[in-house]
Each structure stands twice: as C-alpha cells, then as structure tokens.
Amino acid sequence: VTQVASVPKGQLLNIGAAATVLGVSERALRYYQQLGLFTPYERTPGGMRRYSDADIARVARIRELQKLLGLNLDEVAVVLRNDDRLTEIREVYHNERTGAEERAELARECLEMQEHLRQVVQAKRAGLDNFLADVDARIARIRAVLEGAANP
Amino acid sequence: VTQVASVPKGQLLNIGAAATVLGVSERALRYYQQLGLFTPYERTPGGMRRYSDADIARVARIRELQKLLGLNLDEVAVVLRNDDRLTEIREVYHNERTGAEERAELARECLEMQEHLRQVVQAKRAGLDNFLADVDARIARIRAVLEGAANP
DNA sequence: TTGCTCCTCACGTCACGTGAGGTGGC
DNA sequence: TTGCTCCTCACGTCACGTGAGGTGGC
C-alpha cells in the first residue's frame, strides 16, 4: 500500500497520544506499520514515531474495516489501496496532463470496489436486522413471563 | 456452559456433513467442543461425533455471535449460558414446583442480557449506517467524475 | 478388501498482548 | 539528573489451519 503524501494539518502526536485518541494499542500501530498499511508522517532524530492527522484517519479507517466489516488485514490493504487511488483521481481530476481515458479507467476500478463494499455492508446490515428482530422477540416473551408472574 | 438436553428431531450428521451445512471447518467444530461450548449429541462406538439439529442450531448461534457481533469465545459462552437459562425458564414456566419468585429472578437476569445484546446490535447497526452513507457518497462522486469525462 | 471419512496429537498462523532490556526528550 | 515515554526484540495467546499417522464404517 503506497500512502498518499500530504502536509500535516494539525500537530503531530507521538505513539502514546495517537493510541489514546484512536482507542487502539501501541502494538497495533507498530504492527500496521510493519505490514506496510501506513507509515507515520515522520520520526524524530531519536527514532520516535510522529503521527499526523492523516495517519490518525488512516488507522481509524483500518479499524473500521476490521471491526465493522470483519475484514482481515490483507483485505484491508486492498481497500486502502483503492482509497489511495480515489484520492489520486481527485488530485489529477483537473490535471490536463492525465489522459481522460486513463482517469476514467481508474474511476471505474474504484467504483467497482465501492460497490463491492456496499454489498458487504448491506449483507451485514440485513444480518443485524434479523438478529435484532430475534432479540426483540425474546425480550417480549420474557416480559410476558414476568407479567404473568406478577398477575397470576 | 451446560447444554440443555433434548431429543434429536431429524437425523444425526457426522462431522463432515455438519461442517458443510454450517459452512464452518471440522476443526472449528472440534474446537468449540473442546472449549465446552457444546457437546455433540452422541458418539458412535468407534468414536465418531454425531450432531443433532439442536447441535447444528447451537453452532449457528456461536457463529452468529462471533461474526455478526464480533464477540470472542469467552463472551459467546456467556451468551450461550443465558440462552440455556431462557430455555430452562420456558420449560419450567408451568411447573408449579418451581417458585414464582425464583422464576421471576431468572427471567430478570435473562432480560438484562437480552437488553445488553440489543445495545450491542444497535451500536453496530449505527456504525454500518454511517459507513454505508460514506460509501454511497463516494459512489456518487465517482459517478460524477465518470460523467464529467463522458461529457466534457 | 478397498476408499473415504473420521480420530487425536501437534506444530503453524494471524493479529496482536506482554514483558525484557535499553534509550530519548521535556 | 530524574521520570516517563519511547524503542526493538521476542515469546505468549486466541481461534483456528494444516498436515502426520492411524482407525472406523458402508
């Protein structure tokens, strides 16, 4: 996954602060980096990692894909690659040096990925809706038991 | 987790057939058993596991809690224990030998668990809805780029 | 009897958790 | 200078995956 270069908008965070705001472990941040999912914005001369707002957003995205959709880190890498291409498309959108046909091809690939993600989300949502209906049915039955016990 | 005893309604499946209908690995079935999440209905004299419909349903429940809600197997065990108590309540509902106060207490505990599950499901659903809105926004933007390329 | 399925170890893997031992920076 | 945070190994864990070597059942 080749990360999109950017300028840091806010201030840079060290790994402890980054882990706290993201709600993940320092180990997880180092592990995602080790797998090449992202690279911290910079290191201090002493070797300490410095995370930009873009880094934080990227890790938040990784977590969302993992925990919400249940993707493994190989699958997350594929989605991140696509995210980066989408950013790239937007950057070269008004760049006349990029061929229109080339841009359209990139866009079509991104569209395919997003529509795939949409399917995954929809399927999960449907599963949760069924689960919720089941839970509500159980709750109603337990309430009936409790009221039956109260009014014999 | 103490499983609720029952009679097999359909026929018994060996581990290969059970794994196929459930869409899980044989290893996973043996592992859930090893952790005490359930016990196959019987074993043949030769030692082969035989799964009843109730066993299949129980494993399907385990998978649902794992994959849909993201629970680990310790948390799954807690929910299964509660499922079993709910079944127990329904079984002794008309049993006069069980004290009404005792039944009500069991019911209240089950209700608490179900309402907790409801919270978890709702939170996940909200997260998925946000994710879906984001995906739809991306799709709309990519479509705009593609149409812009088609009509310069 | 021949295949195919099942059995029990037991080591490998993924996504980290958790110290061990040492250095950096306000 | 003293703490606290950070660093890099490196072994442990959870939920299985994947053979190794052997037995069961139509």
Side-chain angles (χ1 to χ4, degrees):
Chain A
V1 173
T2 308
Q3 201 173 351
V4 178
S6 65
V7 287
K9 299 178 183 180
Q11 65 176 3
L12 299 175
L13 302 180
N14 57 23
I15 197 169
T20 299
V21 302
L22 283 163
V24 310
S25 69
E26 300 180 7
R27 179 65 165 103
L29 292 177
R30 296 194 188 99
Y31 185 63
Y32 298 152
Q33 179 187 346
Q34 183 183 328
L35 294 188
L37 297 182
F38 82 112
T39 307
Y41 180 73
E42 68 174 19
R43 293 245 196 178
T44 65
M48 293 171 67
R49 291 168 179 82
R50 292 302 206 149
Y51 298 86
S52 68
D53 287 358
D55 295 335
I56 302 298
R58 196 170 181 84
V59 175
R61 176 76 167 165
I62 293 171
R63 282 269 142 179
E64 199 173 35
L65 294 167
Q66 265 189 301
K67 303 301 176 184
L68 214 55
L69 302 195
L71 306 187
N72 66 36
L73 294 184
D74 278 0
E75 296 165 332
V76 167
V78 174
V79 176
L80 289 182
R81 229 187 303 274
N82 195 71
D83 284 1
D84 290 341
R85 283 202 298 204
L86 224 165
T87 304
E88 194 189 345
I89 287 173
R90 293 178 66 74
E91 280 176 356
V92 304
Y93 182 47
H94 299 294
N95 185 345
E96 295 299 331
R97 292 187 304 175
T98 309
E101 203 43 57
E102 186 184 338
R103 279 182 342 227
E105 182 52 32
L106 268 174
R108 270 189 288 270
E109 286 176 31
C110 288
L111 187 58
E112 200 172 342
M113 166 67 80
Q114 295 300 323
E115 281 171 346
H116 170 68
L117 277 182
R118 222 194 109 93
Q119 295 295 324
V120 174
V121 175
Q122 291 277 39
K124 267 222 165 218
R125 228 188 81 110
L128 282 179
D129 284 346
N130 284 337
F131 194 98
L132 188 60
D134 185 60
V135 169
D136 284 341
R138 286 175 193 231
I139 287 175
R141 281 195 271 119
I142 300 172
R143 286 234 163 86
V145 168
L146 282 171
E147 282 169 24
N151 312 327
Chain B
V1 174
T2 309
Q3 200 174 352
V4 178
S6 65
V7 287
K9 297 177 186 182
Q11 65 176 4
L12 299 175
L13 302 179
N14 58 22
I15 196 169
T20 299
V21 302
L22 283 163
V24 310
S25 69
E26 302 181 6
R27 179 65 164 102
L29 292 177
R30 296 193 188 100
Y31 185 64
Y32 299 152
Q33 179 187 347
Q34 183 183 327
L35 293 189
L37 296 182
F38 83 112
T39 306
Y41 180 74
E42 68 173 20
R43 292 245 195 177
T44 65
M48 293 170 70
R49 293 168 178 80
R50 291 301 206 149
Y51 298 86
S52 67
D53 287 357
D55 295 335
I56 301 297
R58 196 171 181 85
V59 174
R61 175 76 167 166
I62 293 172
R63 281 270 142 178
E64 198 173 35
L65 294 167
Q66 265 189 302
K67 303 300 176 185
L68 213 55
L69 302 195
L71 306 186
N72 65 37
L73 294 184
D74 278 1
E75 296 165 332
V76 167
V78 173
V79 176
L80 289 182
R81 229 187 303 275
N82 195 69
D83 284 1
D84 289 341
R85 284 202 298 205
L86 225 165
T87 305
E88 193 190 345
I89 287 171
R90 293 179 66 73
E91 279 176 356
V92 303
Y93 182 47
H94 299 295
N95 183 348
E96 295 299 330
R97 293 186 303 175
T98 309
E101 202 44 56
E102 186 185 337
R103 280 182 341 226
E105 181 53 33
L106 267 174
R108 272 189 289 269
E109 286 176 31
C110 288
L111 186 58
E112 201 172 341
M113 166 67 81
Q114 295 301 322
E115 281 171 346
H116 170 69
L117 277 182
R118 222 193 110 92
Q119 295 295 323
V120 174
V121 175
Q122 291 277 40
K124 272 233 161 206
R125 228 187 81 112
L128 282 180
D129 284 345
N130 284 337
F131 193 99
L132 189 60
D134 184 60
V135 169
D136 283 341
R138 286 174 192 231
I139 287 176
R141 280 195 273 118
I142 300 172
R143 285 235 164 85
V145 168
L146 282 172
E147 283 169 24
N151 310 328

